[in-house]
Amino acid sequence: MANTNGERHAFQAEVSKLLGLMANSLYRDKEIFLRELISNASDACDKLRYAAITQPDLLGDDAALQVTITPDAKAGVLAVADNGIGMSHDELIDNLGTIARSGTEAFVKQMAEAQGGDGADEEDGQDGPAGLAAGLIGQFGVGFYSSFMVAKRVEVVTRRADEAEGWRWRSDGTGSFTIAPEADAARGTRIELHLRKEAREFLEPLRIRTVVKAYSDHVGLPIWLENEGGQKEMVNEGSALWSRPRSEIGEDQYREFYHHVAHVPGDPWHTIHLHAEGRIEYTALLFVPDTRPFDLFDPMRRHGVRLYVRRVFITDECEGLLPSYLRFVRGVVDSADLALNVSRETLQNDPILAKIRAGLVKRVLSDLAKRAKKAPEEYASFWQNFGAVLKEGLYEDAEQKDKLLPLVRFQSVQGGERWLSLDEYVEAMPEQQEAIYYISGEDPQALRRSPQIEGFGARGIDVLLMADPVDQFWLPMIGAYKEKPFRSVTQGASDLDRFAVEDEEKKTAAADAPAAVEIDKLIALVKLTLADAVKDVRTSERLTESPVCLVADEGDIDMHLERLLRQHKHEVPAQKRVLEINPGHDLTRALARMVGQKGATDALEDAAHLLMDQALILEGEPVPDPSAFTRRLSGLVSRALSE
Ligand code: ADP
């Protein structure tokens, strides 16, 4: 639709939602809008600087890239302008009409949920549901759209560096925006905020100076504050934070820089600022976040580390800079040794980049090891956020195996909520224990209730819980730690008979088990009855409480892995399992006695099926014939009751 304001476009529904939330936001620190606009302006300058490496003409006679903030107290307008790359007509529509980032989308959802609460605590900007939503704005930073926290109308005048025609975008933040051609637009982008009455404080030079200093001092290009007479004063340091000496940088500045580059909620959990000298020179300022981002497992997620060559931004999509198992790391790397005109495509195979990468990996892993040693509890919180990602390195990067394994943490059956290292596990092993026992599945709580671990607990042997899908991939590759093989407690014959049972009660229970012949007969009968449904039937040392369990035979696919493969639509040949029977269980004893007295009967055959069905239920598997199961169970119970 065309009118005097130009063509009108509707915002994507998600954006409208976000804008609604912004306009009604109770967020106290509305000043972060300025940080977001400056951040965008500095990115736009970075992009132009990069483009100008191959097309120097783009800079023309306006080569000093910069940001200018101009308050106009009379008109009530605050302008933030840059002479960066600018936006074309279509880019305006895409960039300022939709939400590109999946993280932002997730944020909108969370925030809408938070604000949809009972509305209590409206007075307080920080607590209660509305306050929670507000808190998220500050942590997350929602970019350009945060302008609408302070402005009732926003106009964007922009011209792309390689185009002659400029555009003016206008919106009051309610549902739609317009775009019209703009004569004489300067290169770059100028955001004009028509401030709400209550946000007029942002027209005061002192206020602006303070906000810029607090949030944007690290930005690597000059930020000017222009007064009404047209005089300019520089209000930030103007050099990239990473290029300054560590001793001159405070924790607050690192944190603000983190918010600028990381695009994730929260604060840094760990900061690494290193200047490598010698054969290859580079500077890295890297952060490990204290919060797990929404898109950690999203293959479309942005890369976390930006690459610069001598302060010129090259790319934030450099796959080769860090391995994918360190994809949670955020920050920048700046090298003087890469060629400025390095192409983003060939970067991946660049030998210098490979060396930088090796240096970064080494440093990140050694810093993690230090933190793990110094502050195990803090390390546990890191591990809960990113452990599943770090473990990918165990099978992707064989070279780092020896550095990665000591960093890995597990919960265990006996350890409760504690996170154990492999060293701790191995040190606590009884002398005769030769293997590192584990059980894998999806849910740690369910694993703790598994029948297969009962016999281990009774013998004082701890079992590690492997509840991340990635565990199924590294375990077979790694095989052993300090010469102790990893063994699944749901696979193969158990070697528990080598260990004494600690629990006295269980010892006696085992002692008055029925005669071996009777048990053997029972097993033979169950095997015959179940025929092809099982691979084998045998007695078990694994069980103390439960009558039965299923295990995978030695060399067969473990049961959890089979489920996982099926979930991921892999073809897995049908696996027959081994049914293990607890010889000390009352049920087994009664059945064995019955076999001894009466031989095979219908009731015993029913019982054999019921044993198998119980084992399946304990595994969380469906019973193959529920109506037969019910018939047999009712029959058995009613016989028992009428006896
Ligand atoms: P983000 O910066 O996190 O991507 P924003 O909503 O702040 O999200 O901005 C969306 C997009 O709009 C940016 O990715 C960028 O492409 C474009 N943009 C915003 N501000 C500018 C600017 N000053 N100059 C050029 N492009 C800009």
Side-chain angles (χ1 to χ4, degrees), residues 36-37 40-41 43-44 47 82 85-87 95-96 101 142-145 158 188-189 191 263 302:
E36 300 295 308
L37 294 183
N40 282 345
D43 287 352
K47 284 181 197 159
D82 64 70
I85 191 83
M87 282 177 273
N95 295 340
L96 306 186
R101 266 192 282 139
V142 283
F144 168 76
Y145 301 113
T158 186
T189 303
I191 315 271
H263 288 296
R302 287 191 192 186

PDB file of all heavy atoms in Angstrom, residues 36-37 40-41 43-44 47 82 85-87 95-96 101 142-145 158 188-189 191 263 302, ligand 1:
ATOM      1  N   GLU A  36      22.438  -1.194  22.867  1.00  0.00           N
ATOM      2  CA  GLU A  36      22.049  -2.021  21.725  1.00  0.00           C
ATOM      3  C   GLU A  36      22.238  -1.265  20.411  1.00  0.00           C
ATOM      4  O   GLU A  36      22.724  -1.818  19.428  1.00  0.00           O
ATOM      5  CB  GLU A  36      20.590  -2.474  21.868  1.00  0.00           C
ATOM      6  CG  GLU A  36      20.318  -3.306  23.115  1.00  0.00           C
ATOM      7  CD  GLU A  36      21.044  -4.647  23.111  1.00  0.00           C
ATOM      8  OE1 GLU A  36      20.917  -5.386  22.116  1.00  0.00           O
ATOM      9  OE2 GLU A  36      21.751  -4.937  24.100  1.00  0.00           O
ATOM     10  N   LEU A  37      21.857   0.006  20.389  1.00  0.00           N
ATOM     11  CA  LEU A  37      21.987   0.779  19.152  1.00  0.00           C
ATOM     12  C   LEU A  37      23.460   1.006  18.806  1.00  0.00           C
ATOM     13  O   LEU A  37      23.862   0.930  17.645  1.00  0.00           O
ATOM     14  CB  LEU A  37      21.253   2.120  19.266  1.00  0.00           C
ATOM     15  CG  LEU A  37      19.730   2.021  19.401  1.00  0.00           C
ATOM     16  CD1 LEU A  37      19.109   3.419  19.432  1.00  0.00           C
ATOM     17  CD2 LEU A  37      19.109   1.211  18.265  1.00  0.00           C
ATOM     18  N   ASN A  40      24.878  -2.228  17.386  1.00  0.00           N
ATOM     19  CA  ASN A  40      24.514  -2.390  15.973  1.00  0.00           C
ATOM     20  C   ASN A  40      25.334  -1.462  15.086  1.00  0.00           C
ATOM     21  O   ASN A  40      25.780  -1.849  14.001  1.00  0.00           O
ATOM     22  CB  ASN A  40      23.030  -2.068  15.763  1.00  0.00           C
ATOM     23  CG  ASN A  40      22.129  -3.214  16.212  1.00  0.00           C
ATOM     24  OD1 ASN A  40      22.587  -4.332  16.427  1.00  0.00           O
ATOM     25  ND2 ASN A  40      20.842  -2.918  16.361  1.00  0.00           N
ATOM     26  N   ALA A  41      25.514  -0.218  15.542  1.00  0.00           N
ATOM     27  CA  ALA A  41      26.258   0.762  14.751  1.00  0.00           C
ATOM     28  C   ALA A  41      27.706   0.303  14.582  1.00  0.00           C
ATOM     29  O   ALA A  41      28.284   0.399  13.488  1.00  0.00           O
ATOM     30  CB  ALA A  41      26.213   2.128  15.441  1.00  0.00           C
ATOM     31  N   ASP A  43      28.806  -2.798  14.717  1.00  0.00           N
ATOM     32  CA  ASP A  43      28.799  -3.941  13.788  1.00  0.00           C
ATOM     33  C   ASP A  43      28.725  -3.463  12.345  1.00  0.00           C
ATOM     34  O   ASP A  43      29.385  -4.013  11.454  1.00  0.00           O
ATOM     35  CB  ASP A  43      27.593  -4.850  14.048  1.00  0.00           C
ATOM     36  CG  ASP A  43      27.750  -5.667  15.323  1.00  0.00           C
ATOM     37  OD1 ASP A  43      28.855  -5.640  15.908  1.00  0.00           O
ATOM     38  OD2 ASP A  43      26.765  -6.326  15.732  1.00  0.00           O
ATOM     39  N   ALA A  44      27.892  -2.450  12.112  1.00  0.00           N
ATOM     40  CA  ALA A  44      27.716  -1.943  10.737  1.00  0.00           C
ATOM     41  C   ALA A  44      29.036  -1.351  10.226  1.00  0.00           C
ATOM     42  O   ALA A  44      29.382  -1.489   9.052  1.00  0.00           O
ATOM     43  CB  ALA A  44      26.607  -0.889  10.710  1.00  0.00           C
ATOM     44  N   LYS A  47      31.369  -4.198   9.353  1.00  0.00           N
ATOM     45  CA  LYS A  47      31.023  -4.822   8.067  1.00  0.00           C
ATOM     46  C   LYS A  47      31.550  -3.999   6.907  1.00  0.00           C
ATOM     47  O   LYS A  47      32.044  -4.543   5.919  1.00  0.00           O
ATOM     48  CB  LYS A  47      29.503  -4.980   7.935  1.00  0.00           C
ATOM     49  CG  LYS A  47      28.959  -6.124   8.761  1.00  0.00           C
ATOM     50  CD  LYS A  47      27.441  -6.250   8.576  1.00  0.00           C
ATOM     51  CE  LYS A  47      26.856  -7.107   9.694  1.00  0.00           C
ATOM     52  NZ  LYS A  47      25.425  -6.882   9.876  1.00  0.00           N
ATOM     53  N   ASP A  82      25.600   6.127  12.395  1.00  0.00           N
ATOM     54  CA  ASP A  82      26.899   5.555  12.056  1.00  0.00           C
ATOM     55  C   ASP A  82      27.141   5.752  10.570  1.00  0.00           C
ATOM     56  O   ASP A  82      26.197   5.956   9.807  1.00  0.00           O
ATOM     57  CB  ASP A  82      26.947   4.062  12.417  1.00  0.00           C
ATOM     58  CG  ASP A  82      25.968   3.230  11.608  1.00  0.00           C
ATOM     59  OD1 ASP A  82      26.186   3.056  10.387  1.00  0.00           O
ATOM     60  OD2 ASP A  82      24.957   2.751  12.193  1.00  0.00           O
ATOM     61  N   ILE A  85      27.885   0.264   7.016  1.00  0.00           N
ATOM     62  CA  ILE A  85      27.461  -0.379   5.760  1.00  0.00           C
ATOM     63  C   ILE A  85      26.070   0.061   5.301  1.00  0.00           C
ATOM     64  O   ILE A  85      25.767   0.075   4.120  1.00  0.00           O
ATOM     65  CB  ILE A  85      27.523  -1.923   5.920  1.00  0.00           C
ATOM     66  CG1 ILE A  85      27.363  -2.659   4.597  1.00  0.00           C
ATOM     67  CG2 ILE A  85      26.484  -2.429   6.895  1.00  0.00           C
ATOM     68  CD1 ILE A  85      28.633  -2.779   3.815  1.00  0.00           C
ATOM     69  N   GLY A  86      25.176   0.439   6.243  1.00  0.00           N
ATOM     70  CA  GLY A  86      23.814   0.838   5.855  1.00  0.00           C
ATOM     71  C   GLY A  86      22.955  -0.344   5.442  1.00  0.00           C
ATOM     72  O   GLY A  86      23.400  -1.490   5.462  1.00  0.00           O
ATOM     73  N   MET A  87      21.709  -0.048   5.084  1.00  0.00           N
ATOM     74  CA  MET A  87      20.799  -1.126   4.679  1.00  0.00           C
ATOM     75  C   MET A  87      20.074  -0.759   3.392  1.00  0.00           C
ATOM     76  O   MET A  87      19.710   0.397   3.173  1.00  0.00           O
ATOM     77  CB  MET A  87      19.750  -1.377   5.779  1.00  0.00           C
ATOM     78  CG  MET A  87      20.262  -2.165   6.957  1.00  0.00           C
ATOM     79  SD  MET A  87      19.027  -2.360   8.262  1.00  0.00           S
ATOM     80  CE  MET A  87      19.282  -0.869   9.200  1.00  0.00           C
ATOM     81  N   ASN A  95      15.470  -6.976   8.216  1.00  0.00           N
ATOM     82  CA  ASN A  95      16.170  -6.816   9.498  1.00  0.00           C
ATOM     83  C   ASN A  95      15.320  -6.146  10.561  1.00  0.00           C
ATOM     84  O   ASN A  95      15.423  -6.479  11.733  1.00  0.00           O
ATOM     85  CB  ASN A  95      17.449  -5.991   9.322  1.00  0.00           C
ATOM     86  CG  ASN A  95      18.457  -6.703   8.450  1.00  0.00           C
ATOM     87  OD1 ASN A  95      18.384  -7.910   8.280  1.00  0.00           O
ATOM     88  ND2 ASN A  95      19.383  -5.957   7.883  1.00  0.00           N
ATOM     89  N   LEU A  96      14.508  -5.160  10.140  1.00  0.00           N
ATOM     90  CA  LEU A  96      13.735  -4.424  11.140  1.00  0.00           C
ATOM     91  C   LEU A  96      12.248  -4.743  11.058  1.00  0.00           C
ATOM     92  O   LEU A  96      11.409  -3.944  11.443  1.00  0.00           O
ATOM     93  CB  LEU A  96      13.973  -2.912  10.989  1.00  0.00           C
ATOM     94  CG  LEU A  96      15.442  -2.468  11.005  1.00  0.00           C
ATOM     95  CD1 LEU A  96      15.544  -0.942  11.003  1.00  0.00           C
ATOM     96  CD2 LEU A  96      16.195  -3.034  12.202  1.00  0.00           C
ATOM     97  N   ARG A 101      16.870 -14.259  14.845  1.00  0.00           N
ATOM     98  CA  ARG A 101      17.575 -15.185  15.732  1.00  0.00           C
ATOM     99  C   ARG A 101      16.637 -16.076  16.491  1.00  0.00           C
ATOM    100  O   ARG A 101      15.691 -15.609  17.104  1.00  0.00           O
ATOM    101  CB  ARG A 101      18.416 -14.393  16.722  1.00  0.00           C
ATOM    102  CG  ARG A 101      19.821 -14.206  16.243  1.00  0.00           C
ATOM    103  CD  ARG A 101      20.675 -13.688  17.332  1.00  0.00           C
ATOM    104  NE  ARG A 101      20.465 -12.266  17.533  1.00  0.00           N
ATOM    105  CZ  ARG A 101      20.410 -11.731  18.737  1.00  0.00           C
ATOM    106  NH1 ARG A 101      20.503 -12.475  19.802  1.00  0.00           N
ATOM    107  NH2 ARG A 101      20.248 -10.438  18.865  1.00  0.00           N
ATOM    108  N   VAL A 142      17.765  -7.119  23.389  1.00  0.00           N
ATOM    109  CA  VAL A 142      16.938  -7.541  22.262  1.00  0.00           C
ATOM    110  C   VAL A 142      17.134  -6.613  21.089  1.00  0.00           C
ATOM    111  O   VAL A 142      16.260  -6.439  20.255  1.00  0.00           O
ATOM    112  CB  VAL A 142      15.451  -7.637  22.634  1.00  0.00           C
ATOM    113  CG1 VAL A 142      15.213  -8.898  23.419  1.00  0.00           C
ATOM    114  CG2 VAL A 142      15.031  -6.439  23.415  1.00  0.00           C
ATOM    115  N   GLY A 143      18.302  -6.011  21.016  1.00  0.00           N
ATOM    116  CA  GLY A 143      18.687  -5.287  19.820  1.00  0.00           C
ATOM    117  C   GLY A 143      17.854  -4.051  19.563  1.00  0.00           C
ATOM    118  O   GLY A 143      17.354  -3.388  20.479  1.00  0.00           O
ATOM    119  N   PHE A 144      17.711  -3.786  18.287  1.00  0.00           N
ATOM    120  CA  PHE A 144      17.059  -2.584  17.806  1.00  0.00           C
ATOM    121  C   PHE A 144      15.706  -2.336  18.454  1.00  0.00           C
ATOM    122  O   PHE A 144      15.332  -1.212  18.781  1.00  0.00           O
ATOM    123  CB  PHE A 144      16.914  -2.698  16.286  1.00  0.00           C
ATOM    124  CG  PHE A 144      16.021  -1.661  15.688  1.00  0.00           C
ATOM    125  CD1 PHE A 144      16.471  -0.358  15.521  1.00  0.00           C
ATOM    126  CD2 PHE A 144      14.729  -1.984  15.305  1.00  0.00           C
ATOM    127  CE1 PHE A 144      15.637   0.607  14.986  1.00  0.00           C
ATOM    128  CE2 PHE A 144      13.897  -1.020  14.763  1.00  0.00           C
ATOM    129  CZ  PHE A 144      14.343   0.274  14.604  1.00  0.00           C
ATOM    130  N   TYR A 145      14.950  -3.440  18.651  1.00  0.00           N
ATOM    131  CA  TYR A 145      13.576  -3.275  19.121  1.00  0.00           C
ATOM    132  C   TYR A 145      13.493  -2.665  20.522  1.00  0.00           C
ATOM    133  O   TYR A 145      12.455  -2.184  20.933  1.00  0.00           O
ATOM    134  CB  TYR A 145      12.833  -4.611  19.075  1.00  0.00           C
ATOM    135  CG  TYR A 145      12.796  -5.191  17.673  1.00  0.00           C
ATOM    136  CD1 TYR A 145      13.472  -6.358  17.363  1.00  0.00           C
ATOM    137  CD2 TYR A 145      12.101  -4.535  16.652  1.00  0.00           C
ATOM    138  CE1 TYR A 145      13.450  -6.883  16.071  1.00  0.00           C
ATOM    139  CE2 TYR A 145      12.073  -5.043  15.370  1.00  0.00           C
ATOM    140  CZ  TYR A 145      12.756  -6.221  15.073  1.00  0.00           C
ATOM    141  OH  TYR A 145      12.740  -6.715  13.809  1.00  0.00           O
ATOM    142  N   THR A 158      18.628   5.464   6.221  1.00  0.00           N
ATOM    143  CA  THR A 158      19.777   4.613   5.918  1.00  0.00           C
ATOM    144  C   THR A 158      20.100   4.590   4.421  1.00  0.00           C
ATOM    145  O   THR A 158      19.214   4.758   3.576  1.00  0.00           O
ATOM    146  CB  THR A 158      19.535   3.177   6.443  1.00  0.00           C
ATOM    147  OG1 THR A 158      20.724   2.402   6.260  1.00  0.00           O
ATOM    148  CG2 THR A 158      18.389   2.483   5.743  1.00  0.00           C
ATOM    149  N   GLY A 188      25.366   4.890   5.574  1.00  0.00           N
ATOM    150  CA  GLY A 188      25.241   4.375   6.940  1.00  0.00           C
ATOM    151  C   GLY A 188      23.812   4.511   7.441  1.00  0.00           C
ATOM    152  O   GLY A 188      22.870   4.608   6.646  1.00  0.00           O
ATOM    153  N   THR A 189      23.671   4.520   8.753  1.00  0.00           N
ATOM    154  CA  THR A 189      22.336   4.457   9.344  1.00  0.00           C
ATOM    155  C   THR A 189      22.204   5.469  10.471  1.00  0.00           C
ATOM    156  O   THR A 189      23.110   5.615  11.290  1.00  0.00           O
ATOM    157  CB  THR A 189      22.077   3.036   9.907  1.00  0.00           C
ATOM    158  OG1 THR A 189      22.252   2.094   8.840  1.00  0.00           O
ATOM    159  CG2 THR A 189      20.677   2.908  10.470  1.00  0.00           C
ATOM    160  N   ILE A 191      19.504   6.412  13.455  1.00  0.00           N
ATOM    161  CA  ILE A 191      18.280   6.008  14.152  1.00  0.00           C
ATOM    162  C   ILE A 191      17.788   7.219  14.928  1.00  0.00           C
ATOM    163  O   ILE A 191      18.522   7.761  15.764  1.00  0.00           O
ATOM    164  CB  ILE A 191      18.562   4.861  15.149  1.00  0.00           C
ATOM    165  CG1 ILE A 191      19.439   3.765  14.532  1.00  0.00           C
ATOM    166  CG2 ILE A 191      17.276   4.333  15.773  1.00  0.00           C
ATOM    167  CD1 ILE A 191      18.753   2.666  13.831  1.00  0.00           C
ATOM    168  N   HIS A 263      25.741 -12.257  22.956  1.00  0.00           N
ATOM    169  CA  HIS A 263      24.353 -12.518  22.558  1.00  0.00           C
ATOM    170  C   HIS A 263      23.739 -13.682  23.310  1.00  0.00           C
ATOM    171  O   HIS A 263      23.033 -14.499  22.732  1.00  0.00           O
ATOM    172  CB  HIS A 263      24.251 -12.784  21.051  1.00  0.00           C
ATOM    173  CG  HIS A 263      24.461 -11.562  20.232  1.00  0.00           C
ATOM    174  ND1 HIS A 263      23.624 -10.479  20.262  1.00  0.00           N
ATOM    175  CD2 HIS A 263      25.444 -11.250  19.363  1.00  0.00           C
ATOM    176  CE1 HIS A 263      24.071  -9.552  19.448  1.00  0.00           C
ATOM    177  NE2 HIS A 263      25.184  -9.992  18.891  1.00  0.00           N
ATOM    178  N   ARG A 302      24.487 -19.359  15.597  1.00  0.00           N
ATOM    179  CA  ARG A 302      25.635 -18.555  15.180  1.00  0.00           C
ATOM    180  C   ARG A 302      26.891 -19.059  15.867  1.00  0.00           C
ATOM    181  O   ARG A 302      26.834 -19.571  16.973  1.00  0.00           O
ATOM    182  CB  ARG A 302      25.463 -17.124  15.663  1.00  0.00           C
ATOM    183  CG  ARG A 302      24.456 -16.316  14.968  1.00  0.00           C
ATOM    184  CD  ARG A 302      24.674 -14.895  15.434  1.00  0.00           C
ATOM    185  NE  ARG A 302      23.562 -14.063  15.022  1.00  0.00           N
ATOM    186  CZ  ARG A 302      23.555 -12.759  15.196  1.00  0.00           C
ATOM    187  NH1 ARG A 302      24.566 -12.159  15.774  1.00  0.00           N
ATOM    188  NH2 ARG A 302      22.523 -12.051  14.789  1.00  0.00           N
TER     189      ARG A 302
HETATM  190  P1  ADP B   1      21.043  -8.125  16.034  1.00  0.00           P
HETATM  191  O1  ADP B   1      21.893  -6.912  15.964  1.00  0.00           O
HETATM  192  O2  ADP B   1      21.211  -8.861  17.281  1.00  0.00           O
HETATM  193  O3  ADP B   1      21.129  -8.993  14.831  1.00  0.00           O
HETATM  194  P2  ADP B   1      18.854  -6.254  15.864  1.00  0.00           P
HETATM  195  O4  ADP B   1      17.383  -6.446  15.995  1.00  0.00           O
HETATM  196  O5  ADP B   1      19.464  -5.241  16.745  1.00  0.00           O
HETATM  197  O6  ADP B   1      19.498  -7.677  16.089  1.00  0.00           O
HETATM  198  O7  ADP B   1      19.188  -5.870  14.383  1.00  0.00           O
HETATM  199  C1  ADP B   1      18.734  -6.687  13.349  1.00  0.00           C
HETATM  200  C2  ADP B   1      19.580  -6.471  12.134  1.00  0.00           C
HETATM  201  O8  ADP B   1      19.382  -5.168  11.602  1.00  0.00           O
HETATM  202  C3  ADP B   1      21.077  -6.550  12.361  1.00  0.00           C
HETATM  203  O9  ADP B   1      21.532  -7.888  12.359  1.00  0.00           O
HETATM  204  C4  ADP B   1      21.603  -5.757  11.176  1.00  0.00           C
HETATM  205  O10 ADP B   1      21.655  -6.566  10.023  1.00  0.00           O
HETATM  206  C5  ADP B   1      20.546  -4.703  10.973  1.00  0.00           C
HETATM  207  N1  ADP B   1      20.935  -3.435  11.600  1.00  0.00           N
HETATM  208  C6  ADP B   1      20.561  -2.964  12.793  1.00  0.00           C
HETATM  209  N2  ADP B   1      21.137  -1.765  13.043  1.00  0.00           N
HETATM  210  C7  ADP B   1      21.907  -1.483  11.976  1.00  0.00           C
HETATM  211  C8  ADP B   1      22.776  -0.394  11.604  1.00  0.00           C
HETATM  212  N3  ADP B   1      22.984   0.621  12.421  1.00  0.00           N
HETATM  213  N4  ADP B   1      23.385  -0.479  10.396  1.00  0.00           N
HETATM  214  C9  ADP B   1      23.197  -1.529   9.576  1.00  0.00           C
HETATM  215  N5  ADP B   1      22.417  -2.560   9.866  1.00  0.00           N
HETATM  216  C10 ADP B   1      21.774  -2.551  11.041  1.00  0.00           C
END
